[in-house]
Amino acid sequence: MALKIVKGSIDRMFDKNLQDLVRGIRNHKEDEAKYISTCIDEIKQELKQDNIAVKANAVCKLTYLQMLGYDISWAAFNIVEVMSSSKFTYKRIGYLAASQCFHEGTDVIMLTTNQIRKDLSSPNQYDTGVALTGLSCFVTSDLARDLANDIMTLMSHTKPYIRKKAVLIMYKVFLKYPESLRPAFPRLKEKLEDPDPGVQSAAVNVICELARRNPKNYLSLAPLFFKLMTSSTNNWVLIKIIKLFGALTPLEPRLGKKLIEPLTNLIHSTSAMSLLYECVNTVIAVLISLSSGMPNHSASIQLCVQKLRILIEDSDQNLKYLGLLAMSKILKTHPKSVQSHKDLILQCLDDKDESIRLRALDLLYGMVSKKNLMEIVKKLMLHVDKAEGTTYRDELLTKIIDICSQSNYQYITNFEWYISILVELTRLEGTRHGHLIASQMLDVAIRVKAIRAFAVAQMATLLDSGHLLTGNMQRNGICEVLYAAAWICGEFSEHLDDPLQTLEAMLRPKVASLPGHIQAVYVQNAAKLFATVLQKHEGDTDSQAAQDTSQLLVERLPLFVQSANLEVQERASCILQLVKYIQKLQQKEVEVAEEVSALFAGELNPVAPKAQKKVPVPEGLDLDAWINEPPSESESEDEKPKAVFAREEPKQSRARHVEVDEKELARRREARKQEQANNPFYIKSSPSSQKVYQDAPGVEHIPVVQIDLSVPLKVPGMPMSEQYLKLEEERRQKEKADKKKDKKKKKREKRGKGRRGDSGPESEEDITPAQQVDIVTEEMPENALPSDDDDKDPNDPHKALDIDLDKPLADSEKLPVRTHRREALKSPADDEDQDSISQEAKKRSSKEKKEKKKEKERKKSKEEEKKKKKKKHKHDVEEEPPEHQPEEPVQSEETVERAAPPTSTSAEASDLDFWLSSAPVPPPTKEGAASPTSAATSTPTPGPKTSVEVAPDSGPEEPKDTEPDEEKSSKHKKKKQKKEKDEKDKKKKKRHHHHSDHHHHHHGDGGGEDSVQNGTVEEEEEPLPPMSNYCLLAENSFIKMVNDIQGNLQDGSQVVVSVIFENKSGGFLKSMEFNVLDSLNSKLQRPEGAGPHDGLVVPFQLPPGVSNEARFVFSVQSIVMPQKLKGTLTFIVKSEDSSTHEKLDFKLHFTCTSYLITTPCYSDAYAKLLESGDLKSSSLKLEGINMPFHHLLARICFHHHFSVVERIDSCASMYSRSIQGHHVCLLVKTANQTVSIDAKCDEPSLLANVLDEIKQTFSQC
Amino acid sequence: MIKFLLMVNKQGQTRLSKYYEHVDIGKRAALEADVVKCCLFRKKEECSFVEYKDYKLVYRQYAALFIVVGITDDENELSIYELVHNFVEMLDKYFSHVSELDIMFNLDKVHIILDEIILNGCVVETNKNRILAPLLALDKMAES
């Protein structure tokens, strides 16, 4: 004891570490819970210590306890403390605990943001690594938003260890913060070609996951993945890529075509089973997508099926299972090729492994044909008999029913057989699927008229036999079958041989032990049977039988009147009264049979599921709109009916038709009758006089037949389903013989009781069914919508990631560039934008109308121009840079890339259409023109369009197909163009402030030299020459730098300088460092801890000929004056044999324009602004401007970040705002080559400088 | 995607659990019990893939230890099956003849190894040396 006190407190706390805890738990097997609770108390004490080592030890133990299922969320704060330890050994314990127990709801997570950020930028790669790993488990939307930019930066980290982790984490970030996907995507794409295979694999993983959910957005990456697939040797990566292709091919059949060959090669060559399996899977997916119209891939299918057979035959159960799984996919589209392996699959039914048996069952579903259905089902019935577990037996049962009922009982040739199968299935003990059998019985009896007599007889026996009534059966739900049996017997009672006997069976006292809903059906159908019995005896001279029946009911029904079930009680008491009344009439010898049967006259037709849902909402009807003013109490009379209609609507279960024709009315009447018949409260008028007959035999004394249950599945007195096999064989043979005989006769009399005279079209196997399904289609409302649109889960987080990735970035989308996020500035700019734009659009719509017409014309002519240009350029398709949507905003990275000379690989890769067309560059004939045109859209949509596009390219191979497709293609082109135009117009309305920009972009990539075109084009609407804000920063023989400066939308004191570095040397450019000599006013933002003169490392290297963009953030204080900063770029040029240090000086010019941000403004706000009088004015005159007015405006918009507020003829008002919130307003007028600009701004010197810069812009051109 | 990885012994006690998608601590116990039931009672001659709810379970038995991986439907079962083996080989290499106790005593280190192999539900690394590198570096750090 004394010794312990002597020991230091820290030492004592180290008494129990994780090992001790584990040992302790093992030594306290009896009172584990108690022991652990004492341990937790100790841990709580330890956590109160200041010593971080003690805390870490405690947290480590907690992690173990958490795994055992103990909640440790109370220690969340301590975990954060340990996470922020500077020692890695403790830090990792903290992160481990956090990753195990933190989640979206843990509130201390928000305390971690800065710590994580610090760890992410730690110089120790393991610090960063552990932070990334932890983040992957507990990243929340807030963390994702705050750290997205940091993680994105890490994607370009020098260490592949960090890069690969950062890339993978981005996936979680995307899920939690979808806005980050677009800004991060270019870099993610870049990582696909990372020199490190691990990073590459990570990028493939992430894109695969993304693409699987929203494949269409990733179609343009196909060429890149294709390259990877053919070059990679890493099976893990290959599997992922091949899986990705599986997701893409359904969207682009041409891709599938291209894939088949490399995939089959892989199938032949690989020894890795997992890869083989993946290839087979994707080939199947490809074949499914090609299945229409690609007949000559049977070789590939054969190959797949063959390989799968090998898998299935393998002794390895895993391979067997997967083989069957893949086989079931082929089955969907190519059932024939699977059917030939029936033997193998039936064999699998006997497998020891239940999962394999279940898979085999799945396959059987698709393998049945008219010929083998009976045989297969027989085999399954045997298995049902043998099956041990109830789950497997239930599975078998449902499969049997699925197999038989599929596609409208297509494969059933003999319904008598099917009914007897169903009856046999009722003998299954302990199945949960009674209702399934019942619904099948009902369905068949209703829809196959010819089988009714047989079905009714069988059902009567079922009712009679009573084996389903025993208590045991009731508990497990097989008694549901009685529901069907009673209904069928009642509804089709005219087919009963002895309705009285069935009636008696239905009124047995034991029935009262059935579930309520079944009893209710019993009672209701007893009434139907009663009606039948009455009718049967109506003609008889002896009315005794009829009276006996009435008496029977009167005696038995009281049992049901006492039922605890409301429904049963109501029906029974109603019917009892009815019968009593009839009895009275019978005694008076009044003929009642007619009237009583009229209660149940009419027929029910099946209604398709979802019929109600599929009734289209008529045009102009808004179901959510109020029909009346909601609260008004003084409703006028004529409004009422409408309201009633609206209220009743949802209750109506039957399909409603929009048009009411004669047939429909009749049907409704019928339906109403039926409804009335089923409604116990509805009593038809005019019951006539009746006489009553008494004396009924004591049915209670009739012994219930006990069935010998030792003989399974045999219902006494019923034909066995097996008999049908033989009978069917005979029937088929006879039929064959008959057919030979009566070859010439069109109509033949057929044998068999239930057969209908004419047997529709001959089946492919030449087997005519003994009975036909009469009511093939269930009733559907007219104009029913064909598709179900309810299968998408609105909660799927991936929905938010369905983002067009080819569209260039808007400024507002960029991730917060610097580490300090302003809470208040989440995205107000965005919202504002949207709002003001829409309002603007509304306000201006009237004014615009005039203009719109013009614009449309302009568009049209532009389309034509474009086409022509394309024709001219068709030889250069390969070099052509990827073309973007014309309405792109100016400030985008992609734009930048385009301005820079594109490398040939990227251009080729992104031109999916070109890549997909297998033929070489088309010859310069007219046919070739279609291809480049179609190449214009960077994301081709599948469908008819694509098939057309293939045509010209594959022309040389299939000359026959070319001509018809040619015609189509031009048609489609027109359509497409129209669509595009519509879209553009629509978009334009929305983003009017950009419209002048996009004029420019439309042609920016086409090159300006061929802008003089077509006489039909109005002089004024001449296309804009290309423009770029990137200006040369510095250049030497190694490197060229161009830059653009933009204000940071989200931070009023920052500007972002985007610099494109282009490697002009023959060597590798490495270790680039960008440094600027700060002035008092402008400072380069350096990472925390860096000195004021340290350079920034450019986060990439440049191979020869490649260019890339980096961004640097500067903070500025005053923005009213332009200024220049001196800077230097240092770098290492590494060629094959040497490496040299080089440097390049530059001068960074911050113009006042670069502090302006394109901001939309609508006209009345603009007017108010001008009226306010706070603005100082200034003006500028430009002489000799020889350009169309819209060019002029476009230039001001583009180069000086203005937006057009309003334009009337040759006069326009424009607006812009500085990053510090200064308003700049321009009124631009033009007349006779003179442009006058009146400007107003709240900061005169800023205005003066901006005007100077505008002047300079125009003096240059 | 890999949804979770469990290591349980024949008695059904969890020895390692890692979830790549958050599951409530209360639900974890139920899930683990279910999963263990699904896998433990299967015979040797039955295949190693089990369908369980939305997941597919891939499991492998090593002496008294079962490793169960829950994956989504789109994952390649065979590759995960191999991955499990890779993981065990890694443990074996680091602990030299790994035993259940090794795993219990060094839970944090097992997690480090696992985190190097699987990140965010995806396989990041399969190279043995690279997987063990951070752990070895850590050990060196502890020694000094």
Side-chain angles (χ1 to χ4, degrees):
Chain A
M1 195 64 194
L3 191 73
K4 265 199 175 170
I5 295 163
V6 173
K7 262 186 172 181
S9 65
I10 297 172
D11 264 358
R12 201 176 68 221
M13 284 316 166
F14 270 115
D15 271 351
K16 201 177 270 170
N17 58 16
L18 177 62
Q19 274 88 334
D20 300 323
L21 176 77
V22 172
R23 267 191 216 109
I25 293 174
R26 283 164 70 85
N27 292 335
H28 290 77
K29 285 217 170 87
E30 268 69 64
D31 52 347
E32 193 184 289
K34 200 177 144 208
Y35 177 77
I36 289 177
S37 77
T38 58
C39 286
I40 289 181
D41 287 340
E42 277 172 28
I43 290 170
K44 280 182 179 165
Q45 286 306 313
E46 286 168 18
L47 287 175
K48 282 183 189 146
Q49 302 272 322
D50 279 335
N51 189 319
I52 193 74
V54 178
K55 270 186 192 164
N57 184 48
V59 166
C60 186
K61 286 190 279 181
L62 278 179
T63 314
Y64 186 84
L65 294 177
Q66 197 261 358
M67 183 189 74
L68 296 182
Y70 291 88
D71 184 20
I72 60 162
S73 53
W74 50 267
F77 185 75
N78 303 104
I79 293 174
V80 174
E81 282 179 310
V82 178
M83 274 165 77
S84 35
S85 158
S86 56
K87 270 187 96 173
F88 177 69
T89 33
Y90 302 141
K91 185 190 291 294
R92 71 175 176 93
I93 289 171
Y95 269 104
L96 172 62
S99 66
Q100 291 293 84
C101 77
F102 282 11
H103 55 92
E104 192 89 32
T106 309
D107 43 6
V108 293
I109 277 195
M110 54 189 203
L111 301 177
T112 60
T113 316
N114 272 319
Q115 180 58 40
I116 296 173
R117 179 174 287 143
K118 217 172 108 193
D119 290 335
L120 287 180
S121 55
S122 159
N124 180 345
Q125 63 166 337
Y126 294 121
D127 279 352
T128 316
V130 86
L132 284 173
T133 311
L135 261 186
S136 79
C137 291
F138 58 75
V139 66
T140 62
S141 338
D142 282 342
L143 277 180
R145 190 192 56 225
D146 294 348
L147 297 174
N149 196 53
D150 301 69
I151 303 174
M152 204 167 104
T153 323
L154 289 180
M155 283 165 72
S156 314
H157 199 271
T158 47
K159 296 222 168 70
Y161 177 76
I162 301 298
R163 284 209 301 274
K164 71 181 179 196
K165 289 199 171 197
V167 167
L168 272 176
I169 305 305
M170 275 321 270
Y171 176 63
K172 271 271 163 70
V173 174
F174 296 151
L175 281 183
K176 297 283 179 187
Y177 179 55
E179 290 88 333
S180 61
L181 177 57
R182 300 222 320 115
F185 193 71
R187 194 167 289 184
L188 182 62
K189 211 164 107 182
E190 222 173 86
K191 294 297 139 201
L192 285 174
E193 296 181 290
D194 196 279
D196 183 85
V199 181
Q200 217 179 48
S201 149
V204 169
N205 262 317
V206 171
I207 293 185
C208 276
E209 278 309 315
L210 292 170
R212 225 166 35 78
R213 318 297 175 119
N214 301 300
K216 64 175 192 306
N217 301 334
Y218 300 87
L219 210 51
S220 55
L221 290 181
L224 191 53
F225 276 111
F226 193 82
K227 208 174 93 195
L228 281 177
M229 182 176 83
T230 43
S231 61
S232 177
T233 50
N234 180 340
N235 282 349
W236 298 92
V237 173
L238 278 176
I239 286 173
K240 283 284 169 191
I241 295 175
I242 289 168
K243 204 177 267 299
L244 173 75
F245 276 130
L248 293 182
T249 40
L251 301 177
E252 180 54 273
R254 285 178 294 165
L255 179 61
K257 237 164 108 189
K258 207 165 171 115
L259 282 172
I260 287 282
E261 201 200 317
L263 285 181
T264 41
N265 287 346
L266 266 176
I267 290 179
H268 280 300
S269 63
T270 186
S271 59
M273 275 301 176
S274 48
L275 184 57
L276 172 83
Y277 175 63
E278 205 54 59
C279 288
V280 170
N281 256 335
T282 298
V283 170
I284 294 167
V286 167
L287 292 175
I288 288 170
S289 70
L290 291 178
S291 58
S292 51
M294 293 301 299
N296 44 353
H297 280 300
S298 57
S300 316
I301 299 165
Q302 278 316 312
L303 177 67
C304 288
V305 175
Q306 242 172 46
K307 285 279 174 189
L308 290 180
R309 187 175 173 112
I310 294 171
L311 290 186
I312 296 172
E313 281 171 336
D314 200 289
S315 59
D316 186 343
Q317 295 287 60
N318 293 336
L319 297 184
K320 189 173 280 199
Y321 172 87
L322 293 177
L324 288 169
L325 198 64
M327 203 68 122
S328 64
K329 286 176 195 155
I330 300 190
L331 190 69
K332 280 176 205 139
T333 46
H334 302 87
K336 282 251 169 69
S337 30
V338 182
Q339 267 161 16
S340 52
H341 301 283
K342 200 181 82 193
D343 54 320
L344 188 65
I345 285 149
L346 283 175
Q347 214 176 301
C348 289
L349 276 184
D350 298 319
D351 200 279
K352 287 162 275 181
D353 188 350
E354 192 178 298
S355 10
I356 287 177
R357 289 199 302 259
L358 288 175
R359 285 274 86 86
L361 269 182
D362 278 348
L363 273 173
L364 275 183
Y365 177 83
M367 296 184 64
V368 290
S369 63
K370 285 186 179 171
K371 223 186 225 157
N372 62 18
L373 174 73
M374 287 175 142
E375 186 193 334
I376 287 180
V377 171
K378 185 185 158 195
K379 191 138 188 182
L380 291 179
M381 291 300 276
L382 278 179
H383 276 95
V384 171
D385 231 0
K386 284 191 293 186
E388 286 153 16
T390 48
T391 36
Y392 180 56
R393 208 161 53 173
D394 277 357
E395 192 62 33
L396 273 170
L397 187 151
T398 45
K399 269 284 128 58
I400 290 175
I401 287 177
D402 277 356
I403 287 173
C404 293
S405 63
Q406 66 177 307
S407 40
N408 250 321
Y409 307 104
Q410 192 191 343
Y411 301 113
I412 294 183
T413 51
N414 188 330
F415 278 96
E416 288 184 14
W417 164 82
Y418 186 45
I419 294 272
S420 48
I421 287 282
L422 289 175
V423 171
E424 277 177 26
L425 287 174
T426 65
R427 307 234 112 220
L428 270 187
E429 263 182 75
T431 181
R432 290 176 292 112
H433 293 300
H435 62 276
L436 204 61
I437 304 174
S439 68
Q440 281 294 296
M441 286 173 168
L442 286 171
D443 201 40
V444 171
I446 292 168
R447 293 171 61 190
V448 188
K449 281 189 182 136
I451 200 68
R452 279 179 195 165
F454 180 78
V456 166
Q458 295 288 302
M459 294 306 123
T461 333
L462 261 187
L463 287 177
D464 217 24
S465 71
H467 73 273
L468 293 168
L469 277 176
T470 54
N472 196 19
M473 290 292 195
Q474 275 178 43
R475 230 175 293 129
N476 50 47
I478 194 71
C479 60
E480 287 291 328
V481 172
L482 291 175
Y483 177 98
W487 191 85
I488 292 169
C489 285
E491 185 66 22
F492 307 119
S493 51
E494 67 271 18
H495 297 295
L496 272 176
D497 288 336
D498 188 357
L500 189 58
Q501 194 195 342
T502 311
L503 183 60
E504 274 172 20
M506 276 166 64
L507 293 173
R508 258 181 252 156
K510 236 185 166 174
V511 171
S513 64
L514 285 171
H517 67 284
I518 300 179
Q519 281 188 59
V521 171
Y522 264 66
V523 171
Q524 184 70 24
N525 285 286
K528 289 186 200 165
L529 281 178
F530 173 59
T532 317
V533 174
L534 282 189
Q535 198 147 37
K536 216 170 182 180
H537 293 290
E538 192 75 290
D540 295 1
T541 44
D542 178 22
S543 60
Q544 191 61 29
Q547 295 196 12
D548 280 349
T549 319
S550 305
Q551 187 56 34
L552 176 72
L553 275 139
V554 170
E555 274 169 24
R556 297 291 176 79
L557 280 174
L559 178 69
F560 297 104
V561 175
Q562 293 158 15
S563 168
N565 186 297
L566 206 65
E567 177 93 9
V568 180
Q569 203 187 73
E570 273 187 321
R571 288 181 190 236
S573 57
C574 229
I575 289 166
L576 181 62
Q577 286 313 308
L578 183 69
V579 174
K580 277 182 181 161
Y581 187 57
I582 292 167
Q583 213 171 18
K584 261 188 220 160
L585 292 175
Q586 278 175 330
Q587 278 160 353
K588 288 181 199 157
E589 303 213 355
V590 182
E591 303 234 315
V592 286
E594 196 80 9
E595 276 88 353
V596 177
S597 350
L599 280 177
F600 308 110
E603 200 165 318
L604 273 181
N605 278 343
V607 175
K610 295 188 190 163
Q612 167 78 26
K613 213 171 159 191
K614 291 194 174 178
V615 181
V617 179
E619 223 174 293
L621 174 63
D622 179 7
L623 288 175
D624 295 325
W626 286 98
I627 293 169
N628 299 319
E629 281 310 305
S632 76
E633 266 138 78
S634 56
E635 271 179 340
S636 65
E637 296 246 16
D638 50 86
E639 273 174 296
K640 261 180 193 162
K642 272 189 195 168
V644 168
F645 171 74
R647 246 182 279 128
E648 272 179 352
E649 198 175 30
K651 278 192 230 153
Q652 211 155 1
S653 61
R654 224 164 278 269
R656 275 182 314 106
H657 288 214
V658 181
E659 296 154 58
V660 181
D661 56 3
E662 197 57 14
K663 223 170 123 193
E664 166 61 5
L665 273 177
R667 207 182 61 77
R668 279 192 196 172
R669 211 172 292 131
E670 199 95 300
R672 197 163 49 242
K673 263 193 214 158
Q674 197 56 48
E675 222 170 73
Q676 289 162 359
N678 282 332
N679 185 351
F681 303 111
Y682 189 87
I683 298 167
K684 263 198 158 182
S685 56
S686 82
S688 42
S689 51
Q690 279 276 312
K691 44 191 168 174
V692 173
Y693 195 86
Q694 272 161 359
D695 179 325
V699 195
E700 288 99 309
H701 308 304
I702 300 172
V704 177
V705 187
Q706 282 302 315
I707 292 141
D708 186 8
L709 289 170
S710 62
V711 185
L713 297 181
K714 191 171 178 190
V715 182
M718 287 186 191
M720 285 281 294
S721 62
E722 269 180 55
Q723 288 169 230
Y724 284 97
L725 262 180
K726 268 189 206 158
L727 280 173
E728 185 67 15
E729 269 314 301
E730 281 167 25
R731 188 182 74 87
R732 283 180 195 171
Q733 271 176 5
K734 178 98 190 279
E735 214 157 71
K736 256 189 206 162
D738 280 357
K739 231 180 251 167
K740 273 183 193 161
K741 258 193 249 162
D742 319 317
K743 242 183 185 171
K744 284 162 203 166
K745 278 189 193 171
K746 257 195 170 177
K747 285 187 179 179
R748 278 168 290 132
E749 284 296 310
K750 283 184 194 161
R751 191 179 65 83
K753 45 178 167 175
R755 192 105 48 84
R756 314 217 350 127
D758 205 14
S759 72
E762 224 71 292
S763 77
E764 83 281 359
E765 285 148 330
D766 254 14
I767 299 168
T768 44
Q771 298 93 7
Q772 297 257 315
V773 182
D774 300 291
I775 308 155
V776 174
T777 45
E778 291 150 316
E779 286 189 11
M780 261 291 187
E782 286 162 31
N783 322 323
L785 303 168
S787 66
D788 301 79
D789 35 10
D790 45 3
D791 26 278
K792 273 216 168 174
D793 178 13
N795 293 327
D796 185 4
H798 292 275
K799 239 183 147 180
L801 289 180
D802 189 0
I803 298 167
D804 183 4
L805 294 164
D806 293 323
K807 220 165 67 186
L809 277 178
D811 221 12
S812 55
E813 277 181 307
K814 282 174 188 161
L815 288 176
V817 185
R818 260 299 105 171
T819 46
H820 303 293
R821 187 179 57 82
R822 305 288 134 113
E823 193 61 55
L825 282 173
K826 260 185 222 160
S827 63
D830 236 3
D831 298 354
E832 244 172 53
D833 260 14
Q834 293 294 328
D835 270 354
S836 56
I837 291 163
S838 60
Q839 280 181 43
E840 187 187 17
K842 259 186 224 160
K843 294 220 162 146
R844 310 248 248 86
S845 62
S846 58
K847 276 189 189 168
E848 254 183 356
K849 265 179 194 164
K850 261 191 272 165
E851 264 183 76
K852 237 200 273 172
K853 225 178 175 181
K854 263 190 199 169
E855 259 167 348
K856 260 189 191 168
E857 280 167 17
R858 195 161 57 200
K859 274 277 123 66
K860 214 171 173 179
S861 60
K862 260 186 202 167
E863 284 295 333
E864 280 166 22
E865 272 168 39
K866 200 163 119 193
K867 232 175 13 189
K868 282 200 176 167
K869 227 183 284 172
K870 292 285 177 194
K871 272 185 198 170
K872 250 187 192 173
H873 279 271
K874 66 200 156 214
H875 290 289
D876 318 324
V877 187
E878 222 167 328
E879 273 77 45
E880 204 161 53
E883 187 161 340
H884 297 277
Q885 316 278 36
E887 50 278 314
E888 67 198 9
V890 194
Q891 307 88 340
S892 70
E893 260 180 307
E894 259 99 324
T895 335
V896 167
E897 277 167 20
R898 202 195 314 150
T903 57
S904 65
T905 45
S906 76
E908 204 177 341
S910 55
D911 199 343
L912 182 65
D913 277 298
F914 174 75
W915 176 74
L916 282 170
S917 54
S918 45
V921 185
T925 55
K926 270 187 182 173
E927 290 97 288
S931 155
T933 313
S934 63
T937 40
S938 52
T939 46
T941 44
K945 195 186 106 204
T946 48
S947 68
V948 168
E949 281 163 11
V950 187
D953 293 332
S954 55
E957 294 162 22
E958 302 158 312
K960 271 182 204 166
D961 297 333
T962 314
E963 269 196 0
D965 277 347
E966 225 10 72
E967 274 177 38
K968 248 198 268 165
S969 92
S970 60
K971 250 189 238 163
H972 276 284
K973 249 189 289 169
K974 267 179 213 159
K975 253 189 218 164
K976 201 178 89 199
Q977 280 165 13
K978 208 182 158 202
K979 222 178 175 182
E980 264 173 29
K981 204 174 75 186
D982 288 352
E983 245 172 51
K984 262 183 232 158
D985 285 348
K986 246 188 250 165
K987 284 221 174 117
K988 195 152 47 166
K989 247 188 259 166
K990 267 195 213 155
R991 8 186 1 167
H992 191 88
H993 66 288
H994 272 318
H995 86 274
S996 358
D997 298 351
H998 88 80
H999 287 199
H1000 139 66
H1001 274 285
H1002 207 83
H1003 289 272
D1005 48 331
E1009 68 276 9
D1010 48 3
S1011 58
V1012 185
Q1013 293 275 343
N1014 223 323
T1016 57
V1017 185
E1018 278 176 59
E1019 192 60 38
E1020 202 215 17
E1021 313 299 5
E1022 191 182 300
L1024 287 160
M1027 289 189 277
S1028 166
N1029 267 342
Y1030 279 82
C1031 48
L1032 185 68
L1033 188 60
E1035 189 175 11
N1036 63 14
S1037 56
F1038 302 106
I1039 193 165
K1040 179 181 171 186
M1041 294 160 73
V1042 291
N1043 80 308
D1044 180 29
I1045 304 174
Q1046 301 268 336
N1048 187 351
L1049 262 184
Q1050 294 174 22
D1051 192 324
S1053 65
Q1054 289 185 349
V1055 287
V1056 181
V1057 178
S1058 316
V1059 184
I1060 300 175
F1061 300 91
E1062 187 194 346
N1063 185 352
K1064 290 170 64 187
S1065 72
F1068 220 82
L1069 294 191
K1070 291 172 60 176
S1071 316
M1072 288 189 275
E1073 242 186 63
F1074 180 92
N1075 202 0
V1076 170
L1077 216 59
D1078 291 348
S1079 71
L1080 278 177
N1081 191 37
S1082 312
K1083 290 186 171 63
L1084 174 61
Q1085 294 258 312
R1086 297 176 167 90
E1088 275 174 68
H1093 305 296
D1094 291 353
L1096 280 185
V1097 176
V1098 179
F1100 47 77
Q1101 305 178 343
L1102 287 178
V1106 171
S1107 59
N1108 202 345
E1109 184 185 23
R1111 285 152 187 249
F1112 304 96
V1113 180
F1114 286 79
S1115 61
V1116 283
Q1117 276 173 350
S1118 162
I1119 59 163
V1120 298
M1121 296 286 278
Q1123 58 172 308
K1124 286 181 179 166
L1125 290 183
K1126 274 188 188 168
T1128 317
L1129 182 82
T1130 56
F1131 51 94
I1132 298 174
V1133 185
K1134 198 178 175 196
S1135 54
E1136 274 170 20
D1137 40 319
S1138 67
S1139 70
T1140 50
H1141 277 272
E1142 298 290 341
K1143 68 173 208 166
L1144 176 62
D1145 292 328
F1146 56 86
K1147 248 185 203 167
L1148 206 51
H1149 186 60
F1150 290 93
T1151 57
C1152 281
T1153 290
S1154 54
Y1155 302 130
L1156 296 183
I1157 294 173
T1158 312
T1159 316
C1161 178
Y1162 46 96
S1163 46
D1164 54 350
Y1166 187 78
K1168 255 185 212 155
L1169 194 65
L1170 290 179
E1171 280 163 15
S1172 69
D1174 302 335
L1175 308 181
K1176 318 277 183 302
S1177 61
S1178 173
S1179 65
L1180 172 73
K1181 249 197 174 85
L1182 300 166
E1183 302 278 352
I1185 298 296
N1186 194 11
M1187 67 168 76
F1189 190 52
H1190 78 275
H1191 281 200
L1192 180 95
L1193 294 184
R1195 274 176 191 276
I1196 298 176
C1197 284
F1198 183 74
H1199 290 301
H1200 299 282
H1201 310 163
F1202 277 85
S1203 64
V1204 176
V1205 179
E1206 216 166 342
R1207 178 189 162 187
I1208 299 159
D1209 299 329
S1210 59
C1211 181
S1213 50
M1214 306 180 88
Y1215 176 78
S1216 184
R1217 203 169 62 178
S1218 79
I1219 53 175
Q1220 293 179 356
H1222 305 291
H1223 303 283
V1224 186
C1225 306
L1226 301 182
L1227 184 65
V1228 186
K1229 285 182 225 163
T1230 178
N1232 305 328
Q1233 300 195 354
T1234 307
V1235 177
S1236 67
I1237 300 176
D1238 291 314
K1240 283 191 169 183
C1241 175
D1242 37 11
E1243 178 51 66
S1245 57
L1246 175 71
L1247 182 63
N1249 286 317
V1250 169
L1251 287 181
D1252 274 353
E1253 284 160 17
I1254 292 178
K1255 193 174 175 182
Q1256 191 148 22
T1257 305
F1258 288 98
S1259 69
Q1260 280 165 1
C1261 53
Chain B
M1 282 291 249
I2 300 168
K3 291 293 176 186
F4 59 81
L5 184 141
L6 295 176
M7 214 185 250
V8 287
N9 65 8
K10 266 195 167 162
Q11 287 79 48
Q13 290 164 313
T14 310
R15 290 298 174 231
L16 175 77
S17 68
K18 183 89 193 176
Y19 291 83
Y20 296 97
E21 206 160 71
H22 179 72
V23 178
D24 252 11
I25 182 90
K27 286 181 190 150
R28 282 186 194 191
L31 178 84
E32 280 164 31
D34 266 11
V35 165
V36 166
K37 228 191 311 176
C38 280
C39 301
L40 251 51
F41 295 118
R42 288 174 69 82
K43 294 173 206 115
K44 275 255 166 70
E45 66 266 20
E46 294 184 339
C47 71
S48 308
F49 313 128
V50 192
E51 280 152 58
Y52 168 74
K53 290 190 182 165
D54 300 340
Y55 305 113
K56 206 162 242 181
L57 306 177
V58 178
Y59 72 92
R60 246 179 140 146
Q61 188 181 357
Y62 292 90
L65 270 186
F66 279 80
I67 294 177
V68 188
V69 189
I71 54 174
T72 52
D73 212 32
D74 55 282
E75 194 66 54
N76 185 312
E77 294 90 343
L78 277 177
S79 69
I80 298 300
Y81 189 69
E82 286 310 310
L83 183 77
V84 171
H85 191 65
N86 197 351
F87 176 45
V88 172
E89 276 180 354
M90 220 65 67
L91 293 177
D92 220 38
K93 186 171 175 189
Y94 181 74
F95 293 108
S96 59
H97 301 297
V98 67
S99 69
E100 196 179 330
L101 265 184
D102 284 330
I103 290 163
M104 292 164 76
F105 284 164
N106 299 289
L107 186 68
D108 50 334
K109 290 184 177 171
V110 176
H111 268 292
I112 294 179
I113 297 181
L114 183 60
D115 285 344
E116 289 303 314
I117 301 176
I118 305 171
L119 183 65
N120 208 6
C122 297
V123 181
V124 263
E125 190 58 79
T126 48
N127 179 303
K128 283 181 190 142
N129 293 327
R130 260 178 282 173
I131 288 171
L132 291 181
L135 194 54
L136 296 176
L138 185 75
D139 287 344
K140 235 180 232 168
M141 228 185 278
E143 270 169 35
S144 57

